[in-house]
Amino acid sequence: MSLKTHIATNAVSLFARNGIKHVSMDDVARKANVSKRTLYDFFKDKEALLIEVLKEIRKPFTEYFLASEKRPGTALEVILLLNERMVENPTLLCDDFFEDVKRFPEALKVLLEGKQLFLKKLVELLKRGEKERVFMSDINYDIISLLAQKQMQSPDMSDVFAKYTHEEVHNTLFFIFLRGICTDTGRDILDRFVVKKRFRDMSGNKFN
């Protein structure tokens, strides 16, 4: 791991826990165990650091999508496992993070570009699932993509769901959406996954 990546990786955990506004460059230097001068050798300002952080966040999902093309199983199973990774990654579900990034236009642009790439891959999986007959064939998945893009650009709705956790809101909408587009075969897979997840959550055990 390069020193630049080491710094960005340490910054990820700080931003995930505290948001962006409450993390200083001094905090990042201390966390990464480097001097502030070294930090500024790699990143001219906080936005430059944030851009690198967003690229680091994107890496595991890019790798996951690439691996999923060779992985056995249906597109539905790939999406379900991907969702688990997203929920387990607090950076992607931190309200303060998303709110704070709006103050950094270049970083926001990188974030939105990442979302667009993610959405493109997700639509590819939906169309793959249609061929595998786990998703219904009479749905225009390009329209779903356009709706998702519109939602990305909509005003923040965090106040509407203030009494619920981000995870509760995400999982409710996610599973309603999946159940709505699944065929009978897809619903069987989804139901088995939900049962396994409940058992794992109750027992505290991981399953493969």
Side-chain angles (χ1 to χ4, degrees), residues 5-173:
T5 301
H6 167 75
I7 294 170
T9 301
N10 279 276
V12 167
S13 62
L14 287 175
F15 289 143
R17 186 169 62 249
N18 305 303
I20 301 166
K21 181 170 58 177
H22 299 296
V23 175
S24 68
M25 295 296 269
D26 284 323
D27 293 330
V28 174
R30 279 193 297 270
K31 176 70 174 175
N33 197 27
V34 298
S35 69
K36 196 170 179 180
R37 179 176 178 178
T38 299
L39 178 61
Y40 278 106
D41 282 343
F42 288 103
F43 306 104
K44 66 178 182 178
D45 53 29
K46 196 173 188 179
E47 184 163 31
L49 172 61
L50 183 55
I51 288 171
E52 190 66 24
V53 163
L54 289 168
K55 291 177 180 178
E56 283 300 312
I57 292 171
R58 190 189 303 174
K59 280 182 183 178
F61 296 103
T62 301
E63 291 167 0
Y64 181 83
F65 275 122
L66 290 173
S68 70
E69 295 174 359
K70 303 174 183 178
R71 178 182 187 137
T74 65
L76 173 57
E77 290 164 306
V78 171
I79 290 172
L80 287 167
L81 292 173
L82 175 62
N83 180 66
E84 284 212 325
R85 288 197 174 194
M86 289 178 65
V87 171
E88 289 168 0
N89 188 329
T91 304
L92 299 182
L93 300 178
C94 174
D95 289 332
D96 286 343
F97 183 90
F98 285 116
E99 187 62 33
D100 292 349
V101 78
K102 295 174 185 177
R103 298 168 49 237
F104 301 90
E106 291 304 312
L108 180 61
K109 188 186 301 182
V110 171
L111 175 63
L112 292 177
E113 286 172 356
K115 284 188 173 184
Q116 292 287 356
L117 290 172
F118 179 85
L119 187 58
K120 179 181 176 183
K121 288 294 183 182
L122 189 58
V123 171
E124 288 175 4
L125 281 172
L126 292 175
K127 291 181 177 180
R128 170 181 148 187
E130 180 183 4
K131 293 177 182 177
E132 295 168 340
R133 298 186 178 180
V134 294
F135 296 141
M136 292 189 292
S137 59
D138 57 348
I139 293 176
N140 188 326
Y141 292 104
D142 290 322
I143 291 177
I144 290 177
S145 174
L146 290 172
L147 287 171
Q149 289 181 51
K150 188 69 175 175
Q151 188 276 332
M152 286 180 188
Q153 300 164 2
S154 65
D156 181 44
M157 297 185 67
S158 57
D159 289 343
V160 177
F161 302 110
K163 68 177 181 178
Y164 305 105
T165 67
H166 207 133
E167 184 175 345
E168 285 176 308
V169 174
H170 170 80
N171 278 333
T172 298
L173 298 177

Side-chain angles (χ1 to χ4, degrees), residues 176-200:
I176 287 174
F177 167 72
L178 275 189
R179 187 168 291 279
I181 67 171
C182 277
T183 61
D184 289 341
T185 300
R187 289 192 191 98
D188 287 341
I189 294 172
L190 182 59
D191 289 342
R192 288 198 300 271
F193 181 88
V194 170
V195 169
K196 280 186 176 181
K197 184 178 185 305
R198 285 176 181 165
F199 174 78
R200 183 199 64 187

